[in-house]
Amino acid sequence: MQRPAVTAVLTAAVLALAAGCSSGGTDGPDHRESPSKKESARKSPNGKPGAEPPPEKGSAKVTRTLATGLKSPWGLAALPGGDLLVSSRDEGTITRVDGTTGKKTELGEVPGVSPGGEGGLMGLALSPSYASDHMVYAYFTTESDNRVARMLYDEKKPSGKQLGAPDTVFKGIPKGMIHNGGRIAFGPDKMLYAGVGETGDTDLSQDKKSLGGKILRLTPDGEPAPDNPFDASPVYSLGHRNVQGLAWDEQKRLWASEFGQDTWDELNEIKAGENYGWPDAEGKAGKTGFRDPIAQWKTSEASPSGVAYAEGSVWMAGLRGERLWRIPVRGVTGEPEPQAFLKGDHGRLRTVLAAGGKKLWLVTSETDSRGTPEKGDDKILEVEVE
């Protein structure tokens, strides 16, 4: 069933908030040109075995609804064995969802979370040493800042009391009613990456001394990674508006989704030390000194949040766009041709997580104050992709 479009009548202040979260564009190359899409889009980037491009046309099909009745779900992490942890942005809780039955068990509430606007309990990630330390990392908003903390998850304790006290590993990230970033993920290098917004203060994005409008790269203990591009700084890349998704492919390339403002939303390939242009460039601007996005979308088509990599493509969840985007990147040297799936079928889509092979987990976002919740919202969907 197609869901109706959501139209909100808001005050001027809230319109500014909505504009910060509803952006997009059409596909564009990253400072690269190709004689034709058909000639270039199927080539291997390095000629190595295993770098074959994905099918020219993909597919995405919801195979089941795993869980329902989630409130403002935001972050998602997969436990060993296949169960999931999901955060509630507004309630400040973390819940375990059985990967087979969908049964929900609340681990507990994260102390210090101060939800408001786009802030609250957001990204989740498991420690690279989770098998031995059982640490869960979370990105959340407090009364004074955004920060990253880790907590011991003890399954033996009663439901609601399974989270240990937060151990803050990194603090001082700017906070605001909008553009708090929030996505965290451990990369192939076992470093912790965090997508940070500029809180609506555009000057922060180009200020190398500010944490706002950046992607940060940290050790698991919260120190600047030793080989970061700027000496003794946690900043990995700059010139961002509001990074919402992080994922790596088999070549260890980092992909990040980002809200634009009024014209273009973006998917970027992130390189250490590179400048992605905001606020001086939005979308594929071709300006010297800035790195253009791999693909871009009109504001009505995306408002991208989480991304995942599977089957040779980046899969990007759309909030305002209410669709799942496929962007083929493996073996594609020219301009990728994004495809949209599930358009309007499940409302706003917040988070997508690779689950091995052709399987993705997809989280809806109708209870975040911007959607139109229906019975059962919000949900975790199982999706088969190609």
Side-chain angles (χ1 to χ4, degrees), residues 170 174 202-216 228-240 272-276 278 289-290:
F170 193 82
T202 58
D203 290 340
L204 300 184
S205 297
Q206 292 296 323
D207 182 356
K208 291 182 181 178
K209 295 181 180 180
S210 171
L211 299 175
K214 309 294 191 299
I215 292 177
L216 309 180
N228 274 359
F230 307 110
D231 188 40
S233 170
V235 173
Y236 189 69
S237 62
L238 67 155
H240 298 290
E274 292 278 359
N275 190 328
Y276 290 81
W278 180 254
F290 300 139

Side-chain angles (χ1 to χ4, degrees), residues 89-130:
R89 186 193 69 182
D90 297 341
E91 296 185 346
T93 58
I94 298 177
T95 297
R96 180 170 181 157
V97 179
D98 189 292
T100 301
T101 67
K103 179 184 176 181
K104 295 176 291 185
T105 304
E106 185 176 304
L107 275 60
E109 184 175 346
V110 178
V113 174
S114 179
E118 295 175 8
L121 179 58
M122 293 176 281
L124 297 178
L126 300 187
S127 164
S129 305
Y130 181 82

Side-chain angles (χ1 to χ4, degrees), residues 110 136-140 147-151 166-170 184:
V110 178
V136 177
Y137 285 68
Y139 182 116
F140 59 91
R147 61 181 59 185
V148 178
R150 59 189 173 191
M151 296 156 284
D167 170 24
T168 299
V169 297
F170 193 82
I184 56 173

Side-chain angles (χ1 to χ4, degrees), residues 352-377:
V352 57
L353 180 69
K358 298 183 178 183
K359 178 179 171 181
L360 301 176
W361 295 116
L362 183 62
V363 181
T364 68
S365 189
E366 288 292 317
T367 59
D368 67 345
S369 79
R370 301 233 176 122
T372 51
E374 297 180 358
K375 184 178 180 180
D377 284 333

